[in-house]
Amino acid sequence: MHALEAAAFAAEDSTQDFAGALLAGLHAQPKRVPCKFLYDAEGSALFERICELPEYYPTRTEMALLKEHAAEFARYMGPDVELIEFGAGSGRKASMLLDALEQPRLYMPIDISPDAVAAAAGTVWHAFPRLKVVPVEADYTGPLALEPQRGQRRVGFFPGSTIGNFPPDEALAFLRRLAELLRGGGLLIGVDLVKDPALLHAAYNDAAGVTAAFNRNLLARANRELEADFLLDRFAHYAFYQPVARRVEMHLVSLVQQQVHVCGQAISFAAGETLHTEDSYKYSVLGFHSLAAQAGFLPRATRVDPEHRFSLHWLEV
Ligand code: AVI
């Protein structure tokens, strides 16, 4: 058996986790819930649609950067690597990278959503039938119990600027864990950049309302899984750029004074009260390099699109 096949990922009971986190967040002041719970099957499908929206520039900009620079990044990575993708997405970006890599040994997508893991694994299996693919359904933000490396270089892939969904202290802690996991190899990571707030506002307030549906799906998920009774049209999607903290905040704002029930518990919302569902931090290139260096990585190559919207970083460790 391959060393990584024996990886002991305890797939958590995500419904139970969701119940605990949502109840704790609804009793907190201000109310909030970790953004990872936006991604059940429905939420992951809505996020895939967000990635296709004209206003949502990150996905296509990152894809263009990958297309242009995959060969260069692959040279930095070297031959015979094991590619571990944190947050599997659709597998399309990983396929672009695998295509450029010399004799990759393994592809391991890790994602909390079983559908996302299956989609990524399926796409890559289809494109590279001889490659060993080891899909892992797990919360990669928690401790990852990969077996010690034996020989092959491990390369991490963390596209999409998902690092921006971590508060800065958690981003640092997470990158430190990755540095431990990938020692002797490196990490290719996509990072969204600070820019004109109007562009950011449009990206998180698309005209078709897909981001609003993605946000409200959190309440729909609670209704499906936790016997909750949220009325979705009593909550407004509200997303805005906060330039001091350099983050887009996403909220669900209660339009009326109301009471809801989750797992049998009554929760009150005042009119105008918000449930904070996501932060999306934006970085400068230098700011991100400094974070990566604090985590123990050496930034070796950074590529940015001509409009300076998005960055890809090859970090060695
Ligand atoms: C997954 N993540 C990087 C997205 C972002 O842009 O922060 C999630 C998202 N939320 C609303 N639109 C997209």
Side-chain angles (χ1 to χ4, degrees), residues 96-114:
M96 289 169 78
L97 191 55
L98 285 162
D99 205 31
L101 279 166
E102 190 182 334
Q103 284 187 321
R105 294 296 160 148
L106 172 134
Y107 170 60
M108 178 187 275
I110 307 176
D111 203 290
I112 194 173
S113 152

Side-chain angles (χ1 to χ4, degrees), residues 55 61 66-67 78 99 111 152 155 173 184 207 218 248 274 304 308 315:
E55 297 96 330
T61 312
L66 252 183
K67 193 169 170 200
D99 205 31
D111 203 290
Q152 316 293 357
V155 163
L218 187 103
V248 174
T274 91
V304 175
H308 217 89
L315 311 173

